[in-house]
Amino acid sequence: MNLILLGAPGAGKGTQAELLIEKLGIPGISTGNMLREAIKNGTELGMKVKSYMDGGLLVPDELIMGIVAERVAKPDCANGFILDGVPRTLAQAEALDAAGVRIDHVISIEIDDSVIEGRMTGRRVCSACGGSFHVVANPPKTEGVCDLCGGELVIRKDDAPETVRKRLEVYHAQTEVLMDYYGKQGKIRHIEGNQSIEGANEDILKAIGAK
């Protein structure tokens, strides 16, 4: 079963990917890891990617999709895989199809922007040990102080309200066309993201016929 996971930043994609990898026994594939692996292994595509990255240039979609196709052809993907973080654009989705990579289901974890803003802007991270807290869901015992080491809790730049809004804008702009593209192919599976992790996971398994 070949899956794509879509979801705005903070929608819980990473958590669901981990659960699906465990329950379905198929590998999760992230583009960042793949690019690093291709470079490390010195494949022809990897060397091309390295030349772009060394020059400070964006890696072209066709090249990224070529590496995806190379990765999913490996034996551990014989029973399926989960793509996380790719495709991000219509061009990448088309390049994936052109590379002959079959996709069975596109899981869209949907959650209101206002809920995501609350989730992300409420996060606090320890500047000393990296411990993670949330002002509502997992508050520290003392405001602004890490329970684990007593370090100062800070708001990461990624979690600042204006950054979160910008990331959501970019996500919607890119993803609407993907929804349309995969919707026409009958592959989109809409999942309510504003529920428990277990509830969302059950809904995903039902939607892809794995339960």
Side-chain angles (χ1 to χ4, degrees):
M1 194 176 290
N2 304 339
L3 311 174
I4 290 173
L5 264 184
L6 293 179
K13 273 198 319 296
T15 303
Q16 292 301 333
E18 284 173 21
L19 289 171
L20 290 169
I21 288 163
E22 190 183 326
K23 290 187 177 178
L24 300 174
I26 57 178
I29 297 171
S30 93
T31 35
N33 292 345
M34 272 189 308
L35 294 177
R36 283 187 287 276
E37 190 182 325
I39 291 168
K40 186 175 132 203
N41 293 341
T43 67
E44 185 183 342
L45 282 170
M47 291 300 94
K48 283 183 184 171
V49 166
K50 189 173 187 301
S51 68
Y52 279 99
M53 289 170 84
D54 287 350
L57 302 168
L58 284 174
V59 182
D61 287 337
E62 294 75 22
L63 211 47
I64 290 177
M65 294 308 110
I67 285 177
V68 172
E70 199 176 70
R71 174 67 186 86
V72 302
K74 292 191 174 175
D76 65 330
C77 292
N79 292 323
F81 53 81
I82 300 167
L83 289 182
D84 184 5
V86 65
R88 287 180 185 231
T89 63
L90 179 59
Q92 286 184 354
E94 290 172 340
L96 204 58
D97 280 349
V101 178
R102 190 193 87 247
I103 299 299
D104 298 309
H105 306 282
V106 179
I107 299 158
S108 174
I109 301 174
E110 293 166 8
I111 190 162
D112 288 345
D113 285 3
S114 59
V115 175
I116 285 179
E117 281 187 42
R119 278 186 186 180
M120 295 179 76
T121 58
R123 284 200 293 217
R124 301 291 181 269
V125 179
C126 178
S127 55
C129 74
S132 184
F133 298 86
H134 191 281
V135 293
V136 177
N138 179 32
K141 292 188 179 77
T142 306
E143 191 177 337
V145 181
C146 176
D147 291 353
L148 307 172
C149 75
E152 182 193 3
L153 296 181
V154 297
I155 300 173
R156 295 184 319 166
K157 189 170 180 289
D158 268 5
D159 295 333
E162 59 277 11
T163 310
V164 171
R165 281 186 209 112
K166 183 66 190 163
R167 288 174 72 194
L168 287 169
E169 275 174 33
V170 170
Y171 172 75
H172 290 306
Q174 291 179 336
T175 310
E176 290 306 317
V177 286
L178 286 180
M179 293 286 207
D180 189 46
Y181 183 73
Y182 287 116
K184 284 176 180 166
Q185 295 179 13
K187 293 177 180 176
I188 290 279
R189 311 289 174 253
H190 300 281
I191 302 298
E192 169 56 58
N194 194 19
Q195 60 174 315
S196 69
I197 290 167
E198 297 77 16
N201 191 250
E202 278 186 29
D203 285 353
I204 290 170
L205 293 172
K206 280 182 201 155
I208 63 176
K211 190 168 183 181

